[in-house]
Structure formats: structure tokens, C-alpha cells
Amino acid sequence: MLLGACTTIQLEPLPEGLTDQPPADWTQRSEQLRRLDAWELSGKLAVKQPSDSGTAIINHWIQKQDAYDLELSSSFLGMGRTSLQGVPGFIALTLPDGETYRSGDPEALIKAATGWQLPIESLVWWIRGLPGPDGDFRLLFDSNRQLAMIRQQGWEIRYDRWQPFITGYPPLPARITAVKDDKRVRMVVTDWQATPGPAR
């Protein structure tokens, strides 16, 4: 009985057409994606949840190793141009009126300020097609040997489209959808560039 309880996750039926057996080049591919830790991307973000829903333009998401600078523009809830700057375990959120709030709990601050549940620290990993370093995860691949889904921290991250944005790196996610219970976050990346950094 104990063994059965420990392996419940592994015994869940797989979605049709997907496998949990990684392709032969997965280790190499994932290592390349890990080395991509300095970039700038732009695109769109949509959040849907029971309390409210909304969309935002990602003016830029600048990542430099552990530090991120994410700027969103949205008319939703009067957010206007909102800036999120942080590192793991800390965030500074600046609202359109210039008011800045700081917290050691990034997700709680984002929710308090915007009403959105946004797993920002996990998105840094998921946006590259990688599981986050915290918590168990399960990877599922499609018939084209491409990552189709990550299950982690109660979220199901679905990779809907991949695109070869950056020369020298594997294709990167162009559209991902993260679902948890009745909450949904969708990101569409329209441009993605590597920026100079020590890891490159």
C-alpha cells in the first residue's frame, strides 16, 4: 500500500498521444536551454480566473541570470504600465502612478496588486521549456519528440507552439498555457533574443 501511494503520480493515465519517455537528445537540449539565462522577449499575456480575467502586453521581459525585469501594459483594472523587478524570493512592483511595493513573497504581492495569480518564479523556467528547480515534476512528450507538457506544483503547463527564435539554441516556446484548477495563464512570445551574459 505504501508503494502504491508513492507512485500514484506515475500511474496516472497519460494524455492520448503523449509519452513520459524523453527523446534521446533531451538531456543535451535541456542543458542548452538552462544556459540561456540572459534574454529579452516580448509578447502577450492573458489571465483567466473565477474572480476576473484580463490581458496584457509584455513590453519586455529582460532576464539576467536570476534577476528579471518584466514590464506589462494593460487597461485591465487600471493596471496601465506595471513593472515587476525581482530575484528569487524578492520582488518590487511599480504601478503606473509610480507607487512601488516590495515583498519577499512575489506571487502574493502580484495577486494583492493586480488580482492575478501569476507563478512568476516558476515562469522563468517554464517559459524556456524547463521544469522549475523546486518541487517534483513530470515531463510529457509528443510524437515529434518535443516537450508537450510539464506538471509541477499543481500546475499543468502546455506547450502549444515552438519556434526557433535564437540561433544556436533549440526551438523555444512561442505559446504556452499554464492551468491550475480554474485558473489559466497563457503567454504568447512574439520576439525573443539572447543578450550578452557570462553564461554565454
Side-chain angles (χ1 to χ4, degrees):
M1 290 180 63
L2 181 60
L3 179 61
C6 291
T7 58
T8 301
I9 294 178
Q10 283 71 27
L11 296 178
E12 287 181 357
L14 292 173
E16 186 176 356
L18 300 185
T19 177
D20 56 4
Q21 296 301 312
D25 65 346
W26 172 246
T27 300
Q28 177 186 0
R29 193 191 314 171
S30 60
E31 183 56 36
Q32 284 182 288
L33 295 174
R34 284 179 185 277
R35 288 199 298 267
L36 177 60
D37 61 359
W39 74 73
E40 181 171 354
L41 65 78
S42 56
K44 297 179 180 179
L45 174 73
V47 177
K48 184 178 182 181
Q49 52 194 27
S51 57
D52 44 53
S53 301
T55 60
I57 300 295
I58 303 173
N59 298 312
H60 67 241
W61 177 344
I62 300 172
Q63 188 77 28
K64 294 183 178 179
Q65 287 74 56
D66 289 336
Y68 58 85
D69 178 352
L70 178 61
E71 185 181 271
L72 306 175
S73 290
S74 175
S75 58
F76 176 68
L77 289 182
M79 275 178 61
R81 190 175 290 256
T82 300
S83 171
L84 310 173
Q85 296 177 315
V87 294
F90 176 81
I91 190 172
L93 186 150
T94 303
L95 297 175
D97 61 4
E99 193 83 21
T100 298
Y101 300 89
R102 296 174 176 83
S103 174
D105 188 339
E107 290 187 30
L109 179 57
I110 292 172
K111 186 174 182 180
T114 68
W116 291 4
Q117 184 169 348
L118 192 65
I120 183 68
E121 295 197 352
S122 295
L123 279 176
V124 171
W125 296 86
W126 295 343
I127 191 62
R128 287 176 286 171
L130 294 169
D134 299 323
D136 295 335
F137 61 86
R138 190 178 191 189
L139 307 179
L140 300 175
F141 300 86
D142 61 22
S143 57
N144 295 321
R145 302 186 303 127
Q146 190 61 272
L147 180 65
M149 189 182 297
I150 296 176
R151 288 175 173 166
Q152 188 173 32
Q153 298 178 355
W155 288 88
E156 183 173 278
I157 304 91
R158 304 167 185 171
Y159 292 88
D160 306 313
R161 189 168 71 241
W162 296 78
Q163 190 170 324
F165 284 105
I166 304 175
T167 302
Y169 286 96
L172 292 160
R175 187 175 69 183
I176 70 172
T177 304
V179 179
K180 182 178 184 181
D181 302 324
D182 48 8
K183 295 173 282 292
R184 181 184 301 261
V185 179
R186 172 167 289 175
M187 291 187 64
V188 177
V189 180
T190 54
D191 184 60
W192 196 332
Q193 299 179 18
T195 56
R200 300 201 71 215

mmCIF file of all heavy atoms in Angstrom, residues 130-174:
data_model
loop_
_atom_site.group_PDB
_atom_site.id
_atom_site.type_symbol
_atom_site.label_atom_id
_atom_site.label_comp_id
_atom_site.label_asym_id
_atom_site.label_seq_id
_atom_site.Cartn_x
_atom_site.Cartn_y
_atom_site.Cartn_z
ATOM 1 N N LEU A 130 11.464 24.277 -19.384
ATOM 2 C CA LEU A 130 12.187 23.539 -18.346
ATOM 3 C C LEU A 130 11.341 23.473 -17.084
ATOM 4 O O LEU A 130 10.628 24.436 -16.761
ATOM 5 C CB LEU A 130 13.510 24.242 -18.009
ATOM 6 C CG LEU A 130 14.573 24.302 -19.094
ATOM 7 C CD1 LEU A 130 15.688 25.256 -18.679
ATOM 8 C CD2 LEU A 130 15.145 22.904 -19.361
ATOM 9 N N PRO A 131 11.432 22.389 -16.325
ATOM 10 C CA PRO A 131 10.779 22.372 -15.012
ATOM 11 C C PRO A 131 11.539 23.259 -14.047
ATOM 12 O O PRO A 131 12.751 23.433 -14.171
ATOM 13 C CB PRO A 131 10.865 20.891 -14.606
ATOM 14 C CG PRO A 131 12.082 20.379 -15.315
ATOM 15 C CD PRO A 131 12.134 21.127 -16.627
ATOM 16 N N GLY A 132 10.834 23.844 -13.100
ATOM 17 C CA GLY A 132 11.482 24.655 -12.089
ATOM 18 C C GLY A 132 12.299 23.798 -11.140
ATOM 19 O O GLY A 132 12.097 22.584 -11.048
ATOM 20 N N PRO A 133 13.240 24.401 -10.407
ATOM 21 C CA PRO A 133 14.114 23.642 -9.514
ATOM 22 C C PRO A 133 13.432 23.189 -8.228
ATOM 23 O O PRO A 133 13.967 22.347 -7.511
ATOM 24 C CB PRO A 133 15.241 24.638 -9.213
ATOM 25 C CG PRO A 133 14.604 25.982 -9.360
ATOM 26 C CD PRO A 133 13.571 25.839 -10.437
ATOM 27 N N ASP A 134 12.256 23.745 -7.935
ATOM 28 C CA ASP A 134 11.576 23.421 -6.679
ATOM 29 C C ASP A 134 10.380 22.512 -6.927
ATOM 30 O O ASP A 134 9.504 22.840 -7.728
ATOM 31 C CB ASP A 134 11.097 24.699 -5.978
ATOM 32 C CG ASP A 134 12.256 25.623 -5.631
ATOM 33 O OD1 ASP A 134 13.329 25.104 -5.268
ATOM 34 O OD2 ASP A 134 12.082 26.850 -5.741
ATOM 35 N N GLY A 135 10.353 21.385 -6.256
ATOM 36 C CA GLY A 135 9.189 20.510 -6.328
ATOM 37 C C GLY A 135 9.325 19.435 -7.386
ATOM 38 O O GLY A 135 10.089 19.555 -8.347
ATOM 39 N N ASP A 136 8.569 18.356 -7.187
ATOM 40 C CA ASP A 136 8.558 17.269 -8.151
ATOM 41 C C ASP A 136 7.912 17.735 -9.450
ATOM 42 O O ASP A 136 7.139 18.705 -9.475
ATOM 43 C CB ASP A 136 7.779 16.076 -7.588
ATOM 44 C CG ASP A 136 8.469 15.479 -6.366
ATOM 45 O OD1 ASP A 136 9.702 15.635 -6.253
ATOM 46 O OD2 ASP A 136 7.774 14.880 -5.533
ATOM 47 N N PHE A 137 8.208 17.029 -10.522
ATOM 48 C CA PHE A 137 7.625 17.385 -11.814
ATOM 49 C C PHE A 137 7.500 16.130 -12.673
ATOM 50 O O PHE A 137 8.114 15.107 -12.392
ATOM 51 C CB PHE A 137 8.486 18.430 -12.537
ATOM 52 C CG PHE A 137 9.884 17.978 -12.835
ATOM 53 C CD1 PHE A 137 10.178 17.264 -13.999
ATOM 54 C CD2 PHE A 137 10.925 18.241 -11.955
ATOM 55 C CE1 PHE A 137 11.471 16.836 -14.268
ATOM 56 C CE2 PHE A 137 12.213 17.821 -12.213
ATOM 57 C CZ PHE A 137 12.489 17.111 -13.373
ATOM 58 N N ARG A 138 6.696 16.263 -13.707
ATOM 59 C CA ARG A 138 6.578 15.196 -14.697
ATOM 60 C C ARG A 138 6.596 15.831 -16.080
ATOM 61 O O ARG A 138 5.906 16.831 -16.324
ATOM 62 C CB ARG A 138 5.273 14.419 -14.507
ATOM 63 C CG ARG A 138 5.224 13.150 -15.355
ATOM 64 C CD ARG A 138 3.945 12.379 -15.119
ATOM 65 N NE ARG A 138 4.017 11.056 -15.735
ATOM 66 C CZ ARG A 138 2.992 10.223 -15.836
ATOM 67 N NH1 ARG A 138 1.808 10.567 -15.357
ATOM 68 N NH2 ARG A 138 3.124 9.038 -16.403
ATOM 69 N N LEU A 139 7.380 15.274 -16.982
ATOM 70 C CA LEU A 139 7.502 15.773 -18.345
ATOM 71 C C LEU A 139 6.790 14.816 -19.292
ATOM 72 O O LEU A 139 6.932 13.600 -19.172
ATOM 73 C CB LEU A 139 8.974 15.881 -18.755
ATOM 74 C CG LEU A 139 9.898 16.679 -17.828
ATOM 75 C CD1 LEU A 139 11.324 16.671 -18.381
ATOM 76 C CD2 LEU A 139 9.406 18.101 -17.659
ATOM 77 N N LEU A 140 6.059 15.358 -20.252
ATOM 78 C CA LEU A 140 5.368 14.559 -21.258
ATOM 79 C C LEU A 140 5.750 15.079 -22.641
ATOM 80 O O LEU A 140 5.796 16.293 -22.873
ATOM 81 C CB LEU A 140 3.851 14.635 -21.060
ATOM 82 C CG LEU A 140 3.340 14.142 -19.699
ATOM 83 C CD1 LEU A 140 1.848 14.385 -19.571
ATOM 84 C CD2 LEU A 140 3.666 12.670 -19.493
ATOM 85 N N PHE A 141 6.015 14.153 -23.542
ATOM 86 C CA PHE A 141 6.498 14.498 -24.882
ATOM 87 C C PHE A 141 5.512 14.022 -25.937
ATOM 88 O O PHE A 141 4.807 13.018 -25.739
ATOM 89 C CB PHE A 141 7.873 13.860 -25.122
ATOM 90 C CG PHE A 141 8.920 14.313 -24.139
ATOM 91 C CD1 PHE A 141 9.060 13.677 -22.907
ATOM 92 C CD2 PHE A 141 9.753 15.382 -24.425
ATOM 93 C CE1 PHE A 141 10.013 14.091 -21.991
ATOM 94 C CE2 PHE A 141 10.710 15.810 -23.516
ATOM 95 C CZ PHE A 141 10.839 15.162 -22.295
ATOM 96 N N ASP A 142 5.495 14.724 -27.094
ATOM 97 C CA ASP A 142 4.572 14.343 -28.159
ATOM 98 C C ASP A 142 5.266 13.448 -29.179
ATOM 99 O O ASP A 142 6.440 13.074 -29.013
ATOM 100 C CB ASP A 142 3.974 15.585 -28.828
ATOM 101 C CG ASP A 142 5.024 16.489 -29.477
ATOM 102 O OD1 ASP A 142 6.133 15.995 -29.794
ATOM 103 O OD2 ASP A 142 4.742 17.682 -29.677
ATOM 104 N N SER A 143 4.548 13.120 -30.252
ATOM 105 C CA SER A 143 5.076 12.183 -31.256
ATOM 106 C C SER A 143 6.227 12.784 -32.049
ATOM 107 O O SER A 143 6.962 12.060 -32.718
ATOM 108 C CB SER A 143 3.954 11.750 -32.206
ATOM 109 O OG SER A 143 3.369 12.888 -32.830
ATOM 110 N N ASN A 144 6.385 14.115 -31.986
ATOM 111 C CA ASN A 144 7.507 14.779 -32.673
ATOM 112 C C ASN A 144 8.727 14.913 -31.771
ATOM 113 O O ASN A 144 9.662 15.632 -32.103
ATOM 114 C CB ASN A 144 7.072 16.165 -33.162
ATOM 115 C CG ASN A 144 6.009 16.094 -34.225
ATOM 116 O OD1 ASN A 144 6.048 15.232 -35.099
ATOM 117 N ND2 ASN A 144 5.029 16.982 -34.142
ATOM 118 N N ARG A 145 8.700 14.234 -30.615
ATOM 119 C CA ARG A 145 9.793 14.239 -29.644
ATOM 120 C C ARG A 145 9.999 15.630 -29.038
ATOM 121 O O ARG A 145 11.071 15.964 -28.571
ATOM 122 C CB ARG A 145 11.103 13.735 -30.269
ATOM 123 C CG ARG A 145 11.005 12.335 -30.858
ATOM 124 C CD ARG A 145 12.334 11.801 -31.341
ATOM 125 N NE ARG A 145 12.933 12.691 -32.318
ATOM 126 C CZ ARG A 145 14.171 13.179 -32.223
ATOM 127 N NH1 ARG A 145 14.928 12.860 -31.194
ATOM 128 N NH2 ARG A 145 14.664 13.958 -33.155
ATOM 129 N N GLN A 146 8.939 16.422 -29.058
ATOM 130 C CA GLN A 146 9.007 17.760 -28.482
ATOM 131 C C GLN A 146 8.273 17.758 -27.141
ATOM 132 O O GLN A 146 7.288 17.039 -26.956
ATOM 133 C CB GLN A 146 8.355 18.769 -29.435
ATOM 134 C CG GLN A 146 8.564 20.220 -29.064
ATOM 135 C CD GLN A 146 10.004 20.644 -29.054
ATOM 136 O OE1 GLN A 146 10.684 20.515 -28.034
ATOM 137 N NE2 GLN A 146 10.505 21.112 -30.195
ATOM 138 N N LEU A 147 8.744 18.568 -26.190
ATOM 139 C CA LEU A 147 8.071 18.668 -24.906
ATOM 140 C C LEU A 147 6.664 19.220 -25.108
ATOM 141 O O LEU A 147 6.478 20.273 -25.721
ATOM 142 C CB LEU A 147 8.858 19.592 -23.976
ATOM 143 C CG LEU A 147 8.277 19.793 -22.575
ATOM 144 C CD1 LEU A 147 8.301 18.489 -21.782
ATOM 145 C CD2 LEU A 147 9.044 20.880 -21.826
ATOM 146 N N ALA A 148 5.673 18.502 -24.598
ATOM 147 C CA ALA A 148 4.282 18.909 -24.753
ATOM 148 C C ALA A 148 3.680 19.425 -23.463
ATOM 149 O O ALA A 148 2.749 20.238 -23.486
ATOM 150 C CB ALA A 148 3.444 17.735 -25.277
ATOM 151 N N MET A 149 4.211 18.962 -22.300
ATOM 152 C CA MET A 149 3.571 19.317 -21.050
ATOM 153 C C MET A 149 4.531 19.115 -19.876
ATOM 154 O O MET A 149 5.323 18.189 -19.871
ATOM 155 C CB MET A 149 2.329 18.434 -20.848
ATOM 156 C CG MET A 149 1.436 18.818 -19.699
ATOM 157 S SD MET A 149 0.036 17.653 -19.564
ATOM 158 C CE MET A 149 -0.790 17.926 -21.143
ATOM 159 N N ILE A 150 4.456 20.020 -18.917
ATOM 160 C CA ILE A 150 5.116 19.862 -17.621
ATOM 161 C C ILE A 150 4.031 19.906 -16.556
ATOM 162 O O ILE A 150 3.156 20.784 -16.589
ATOM 163 C CB ILE A 150 6.132 20.989 -17.348
ATOM 164 C CG1 ILE A 150 7.285 20.964 -18.346
ATOM 165 C CG2 ILE A 150 6.696 20.876 -15.917
ATOM 166 C CD1 ILE A 150 8.278 22.125 -18.177
ATOM 167 N N ARG A 151 4.081 18.970 -15.633
ATOM 168 C CA ARG A 151 3.186 19.013 -14.473
ATOM 169 C C ARG A 151 4.044 19.267 -13.241
ATOM 170 O O ARG A 151 4.930 18.484 -12.933
ATOM 171 C CB ARG A 151 2.423 17.697 -14.344
ATOM 172 C CG ARG A 151 1.356 17.516 -15.417
ATOM 173 C CD ARG A 151 0.705 16.163 -15.346
ATOM 174 N NE ARG A 151 -0.421 16.052 -16.271
ATOM 175 C CZ ARG A 151 -0.993 14.905 -16.602
ATOM 176 N NH1 ARG A 151 -0.553 13.764 -16.097
ATOM 177 N NH2 ARG A 151 -2.008 14.886 -17.449
ATOM 178 N N GLN A 152 3.765 20.393 -12.565
ATOM 179 C CA GLN A 152 4.592 20.782 -11.418
ATOM 180 C C GLN A 152 3.819 21.745 -10.527
ATOM 181 O O GLN A 152 3.120 22.638 -11.021
ATOM 182 C CB GLN A 152 5.898 21.431 -11.896
ATOM 183 C CG GLN A 152 6.906 21.689 -10.779
ATOM 184 C CD GLN A 152 8.246 22.166 -11.310
ATOM 185 O OE1 GLN A 152 8.328 22.837 -12.326
ATOM 186 N NE2 GLN A 152 9.313 21.830 -10.594
ATOM 187 N N GLN A 153 3.958 21.572 -9.220
ATOM 188 C CA GLN A 153 3.364 22.478 -8.231
ATOM 189 C C GLN A 153 1.866 22.670 -8.428
ATOM 190 O O GLN A 153 1.321 23.751 -8.200
ATOM 191 C CB GLN A 153 4.077 23.833 -8.262
ATOM 192 C CG GLN A 153 5.554 23.749 -7.906
ATOM 193 C CD GLN A 153 6.255 25.094 -7.988
ATOM 194 O OE1 GLN A 153 5.678 26.096 -8.398
ATOM 195 N NE2 GLN A 153 7.515 25.110 -7.612
ATOM 196 N N GLY A 154 1.194 21.624 -8.889
ATOM 197 C CA GLY A 154 -0.246 21.715 -9.108
ATOM 198 C C GLY A 154 -0.634 22.365 -10.420
ATOM 199 O O GLY A 154 -1.814 22.427 -10.769
ATOM 200 N N TRP A 155 0.357 22.849 -11.178
ATOM 201 C CA TRP A 155 0.102 23.458 -12.490
ATOM 202 C C TRP A 155 0.346 22.437 -13.596
ATOM 203 O O TRP A 155 1.192 21.563 -13.469
ATOM 204 C CB TRP A 155 1.026 24.660 -12.716
ATOM 205 C CG TRP A 155 0.685 25.860 -11.906
ATOM 206 C CD1 TRP A 155 1.124 26.145 -10.638
ATOM 207 C CD2 TRP A 155 -0.143 26.957 -12.292
ATOM 208 N NE1 TRP A 155 0.620 27.343 -10.214
ATOM 209 C CE2 TRP A 155 -0.161 27.869 -11.198
ATOM 210 C CE3 TRP A 155 -0.872 27.267 -13.446
ATOM 211 C CZ2 TRP A 155 -0.887 29.064 -11.251
ATOM 212 C CZ3 TRP A 155 -1.593 28.448 -13.489
ATOM 213 C CH2 TRP A 155 -1.594 29.334 -12.396
ATOM 214 N N GLU A 156 -0.387 22.596 -14.671
ATOM 215 C CA GLU A 156 -0.147 21.829 -15.895
ATOM 216 C C GLU A 156 0.234 22.838 -16.975
ATOM 217 O O GLU A 156 -0.581 23.685 -17.354
ATOM 218 C CB GLU A 156 -1.396 21.056 -16.306
ATOM 219 C CG GLU A 156 -1.195 20.181 -17.529
ATOM 220 C CD GLU A 156 -2.411 19.300 -17.795
ATOM 221 O OE1 GLU A 156 -2.523 18.236 -17.159
ATOM 222 O OE2 GLU A 156 -3.240 19.688 -18.637
ATOM 223 N N ILE A 157 1.480 22.777 -17.426
ATOM 224 C CA ILE A 157 1.984 23.737 -18.408
ATOM 225 C C ILE A 157 1.992 23.070 -19.769
ATOM 226 O O ILE A 157 2.703 22.088 -19.991
ATOM 227 C CB ILE A 157 3.402 24.240 -18.044
ATOM 228 C CG1 ILE A 157 3.402 24.832 -16.632
ATOM 229 C CG2 ILE A 157 3.875 25.288 -19.029
ATOM 230 C CD1 ILE A 157 3.737 23.838 -15.538
ATOM 231 N N ARG A 158 1.186 23.596 -20.678
ATOM 232 C CA ARG A 158 1.027 23.000 -22.005
ATOM 233 C C ARG A 158 1.779 23.837 -23.031
ATOM 234 O O ARG A 158 1.610 25.061 -23.097
ATOM 235 C CB ARG A 158 -0.456 22.917 -22.368
ATOM 236 C CG ARG A 158 -1.289 22.158 -21.330
ATOM 237 C CD ARG A 158 -2.770 22.369 -21.557
ATOM 238 N NE ARG A 158 -3.563 21.752 -20.498
ATOM 239 C CZ ARG A 158 -4.875 21.931 -20.352
ATOM 240 N NH1 ARG A 158 -5.529 22.737 -21.193
ATOM 241 N NH2 ARG A 158 -5.511 21.333 -19.356
ATOM 242 N N TYR A 159 2.585 23.159 -23.819
ATOM 243 C CA TYR A 159 3.376 23.845 -24.848
ATOM 244 C C TYR A 159 2.663 23.680 -26.183
ATOM 245 O O TYR A 159 2.650 22.607 -26.776
ATOM 246 C CB TYR A 159 4.803 23.285 -24.874
ATOM 247 C CG TYR A 159 5.536 23.653 -23.604
ATOM 248 C CD1 TYR A 159 5.461 22.840 -22.479
ATOM 249 C CD2 TYR A 159 6.242 24.843 -23.501
ATOM 250 C CE1 TYR A 159 6.091 23.192 -21.285
ATOM 251 C CE2 TYR A 159 6.872 25.204 -22.320
ATOM 252 C CZ TYR A 159 6.791 24.377 -21.224
ATOM 253 O OH TYR A 159 7.393 24.737 -20.049
ATOM 254 N N ASP A 160 2.052 24.771 -26.640
ATOM 255 C CA ASP A 160 1.209 24.725 -27.827
ATOM 256 C C ASP A 160 1.987 24.978 -29.113
ATOM 257 O O ASP A 160 1.572 24.534 -30.181
ATOM 258 C CB ASP A 160 0.084 25.764 -27.701
ATOM 259 C CG ASP A 160 -0.711 25.597 -26.407
ATOM 260 O OD1 ASP A 160 -1.079 24.455 -26.094
ATOM 261 O OD2 ASP A 160 -0.942 26.602 -25.712
ATOM 262 N N ARG A 161 3.083 25.720 -29.015
ATOM 263 C CA ARG A 161 3.843 26.035 -30.232
ATOM 264 C C ARG A 161 5.289 26.343 -29.874
ATOM 265 O O ARG A 161 5.557 26.975 -28.855
ATOM 266 C CB ARG A 161 3.211 27.236 -30.961
ATOM 267 C CG ARG A 161 3.814 27.489 -32.338
ATOM 268 C CD ARG A 161 2.997 28.471 -33.141
ATOM 269 N NE ARG A 161 3.099 29.834 -32.623
ATOM 270 C CZ ARG A 161 2.092 30.552 -32.177
ATOM 271 N NH1 ARG A 161 0.877 30.042 -32.148
ATOM 272 N NH2 ARG A 161 2.277 31.793 -31.741
ATOM 273 N N TRP A 162 6.199 25.877 -30.717
ATOM 274 C CA TRP A 162 7.630 26.128 -30.552
ATOM 275 C C TRP A 162 8.148 26.859 -31.785
ATOM 276 O O TRP A 162 7.609 26.698 -32.879
ATOM 277 C CB TRP A 162 8.399 24.813 -30.383
ATOM 278 C CG TRP A 162 8.045 24.056 -29.141
ATOM 279 C CD1 TRP A 162 6.940 23.277 -28.936
ATOM 280 C CD2 TRP A 162 8.802 24.000 -27.931
ATOM 281 N NE1 TRP A 162 6.955 22.736 -27.674
ATOM 282 C CE2 TRP A 162 8.095 23.161 -27.030
ATOM 283 C CE3 TRP A 162 10.001 24.555 -27.514
ATOM 284 C CZ2 TRP A 162 8.542 22.875 -25.749
ATOM 285 C CZ3 TRP A 162 10.462 24.275 -26.239
ATOM 286 C CH2 TRP A 162 9.737 23.448 -25.372
ATOM 287 N N GLN A 163 9.207 27.648 -31.593
ATOM 288 C CA GLN A 163 9.751 28.418 -32.714
ATOM 289 C C GLN A 163 11.263 28.603 -32.527
ATOM 290 O O GLN A 163 11.715 28.827 -31.399
ATOM 291 C CB GLN A 163 9.056 29.783 -32.773
ATOM 292 C CG GLN A 163 9.350 30.597 -34.021
ATOM 293 C CD GLN A 163 8.436 31.811 -34.096
ATOM 294 O OE1 GLN A 163 7.260 31.741 -33.707
ATOM 295 N NE2 GLN A 163 8.961 32.920 -34.576
ATOM 296 N N PRO A 164 12.029 28.509 -33.601
ATOM 297 C CA PRO A 164 13.490 28.703 -33.495
ATOM 298 C C PRO A 164 13.847 30.186 -33.438
ATOM 299 O O PRO A 164 14.325 30.770 -34.422
ATOM 300 C CB PRO A 164 14.014 28.044 -34.773
ATOM 301 C CG PRO A 164 12.897 28.191 -35.758
ATOM 302 C CD PRO A 164 11.618 28.100 -34.967
ATOM 303 N N PHE A 165 13.645 30.807 -32.288
ATOM 304 C CA PHE A 165 13.872 32.243 -32.153
ATOM 305 C C PHE A 165 15.349 32.614 -32.216
ATOM 306 O O PHE A 165 15.722 33.619 -32.812
ATOM 307 C CB PHE A 165 13.322 32.736 -30.799
ATOM 308 C CG PHE A 165 11.834 32.858 -30.735
ATOM 309 C CD1 PHE A 165 11.081 31.924 -30.041
ATOM 310 C CD2 PHE A 165 11.180 33.915 -31.346
ATOM 311 C CE1 PHE A 165 9.703 32.040 -29.951
ATOM 312 C CE2 PHE A 165 9.802 34.047 -31.276
ATOM 313 C CZ PHE A 165 9.055 33.104 -30.581
ATOM 314 N N ILE A 166 16.217 31.820 -31.539
ATOM 315 C CA ILE A 166 17.607 32.245 -31.318
ATOM 316 C C ILE A 166 18.562 31.244 -31.963
ATOM 317 O O ILE A 166 18.528 30.044 -31.650
ATOM 318 C CB ILE A 166 17.913 32.352 -29.807
ATOM 319 C CG1 ILE A 166 16.916 33.310 -29.132
ATOM 320 C CG2 ILE A 166 19.339 32.826 -29.587
ATOM 321 C CD1 ILE A 166 17.059 33.373 -27.624
ATOM 322 N N THR A 167 19.421 31.734 -32.825
ATOM 323 C CA THR A 167 20.410 30.879 -33.481
ATOM 324 C C THR A 167 21.328 30.237 -32.447
ATOM 325 O O THR A 167 21.799 30.901 -31.522
ATOM 326 C CB THR A 167 21.259 31.705 -34.463
ATOM 327 O OG1 THR A 167 20.391 32.315 -35.427
ATOM 328 C CG2 THR A 167 22.261 30.813 -35.191
ATOM 329 N N GLY A 168 21.553 28.937 -32.590
ATOM 330 C CA GLY A 168 22.439 28.234 -31.676
ATOM 331 C C GLY A 168 21.729 27.584 -30.507
ATOM 332 O O GLY A 168 22.364 26.898 -29.703
ATOM 333 N N TYR A 169 20.413 27.814 -30.396
ATOM 334 C CA TYR A 169 19.622 27.202 -29.335
ATOM 335 C C TYR A 169 18.500 26.374 -29.946
ATOM 336 O O TYR A 169 18.064 26.639 -31.077
ATOM 337 C CB TYR A 169 19.020 28.269 -28.410
ATOM 338 C CG TYR A 169 20.028 28.913 -27.490
ATOM 339 C CD1 TYR A 169 20.635 30.115 -27.831
ATOM 340 C CD2 TYR A 169 20.380 28.320 -26.287
ATOM 341 C CE1 TYR A 169 21.559 30.718 -26.991
ATOM 342 C CE2 TYR A 169 21.305 28.909 -25.437
ATOM 343 C CZ TYR A 169 21.887 30.106 -25.795
ATOM 344 O OH TYR A 169 22.809 30.690 -24.962
ATOM 345 N N PRO A 170 18.000 25.389 -29.215
ATOM 346 C CA PRO A 170 16.846 24.633 -29.703
ATOM 347 C C PRO A 170 15.637 25.559 -29.850
ATOM 348 O O PRO A 170 15.638 26.681 -29.326
ATOM 349 C CB PRO A 170 16.610 23.592 -28.593
ATOM 350 C CG PRO A 170 17.847 23.576 -27.775
ATOM 351 C CD PRO A 170 18.448 24.941 -27.899
ATOM 352 N N PRO A 171 14.592 25.094 -30.553
ATOM 353 C CA PRO A 171 13.366 25.891 -30.602
ATOM 354 C C PRO A 171 12.883 26.223 -29.193
ATOM 355 O O PRO A 171 13.039 25.437 -28.256
ATOM 356 C CB PRO A 171 12.372 24.962 -31.326
ATOM 357 C CG PRO A 171 13.239 24.084 -32.164
ATOM 358 C CD PRO A 171 14.485 23.861 -31.366
ATOM 359 N N LEU A 172 12.298 27.407 -29.057
ATOM 360 C CA LEU A 172 11.808 27.892 -27.767
ATOM 361 C C LEU A 172 10.287 28.025 -27.816
ATOM 362 O O LEU A 172 9.702 28.177 -28.895
ATOM 363 C CB LEU A 172 12.437 29.244 -27.446
ATOM 364 C CG LEU A 172 13.944 29.206 -27.154
ATOM 365 C CD1 LEU A 172 14.564 30.587 -27.339
ATOM 366 C CD2 LEU A 172 14.181 28.704 -25.731
ATOM 367 N N PRO A 173 9.635 27.982 -26.662
ATOM 368 C CA PRO A 173 8.178 28.093 -26.660
ATOM 369 C C PRO A 173 7.710 29.430 -27.239
ATOM 370 O O PRO A 173 8.203 30.492 -26.867
ATOM 371 C CB PRO A 173 7.823 27.985 -25.177
ATOM 372 C CG PRO A 173 8.964 27.218 -24.571
ATOM 373 C CD PRO A 173 10.161 27.691 -25.310
ATOM 374 N N ALA A 174 6.744 29.348 -28.148
ATOM 375 C CA ALA A 174 6.124 30.547 -28.698
ATOM 376 C C ALA A 174 4.749 30.772 -28.095
ATOM 377 O O ALA A 174 4.235 31.886 -28.114
ATOM 378 C CB ALA A 174 6.007 30.434 -30.216
#
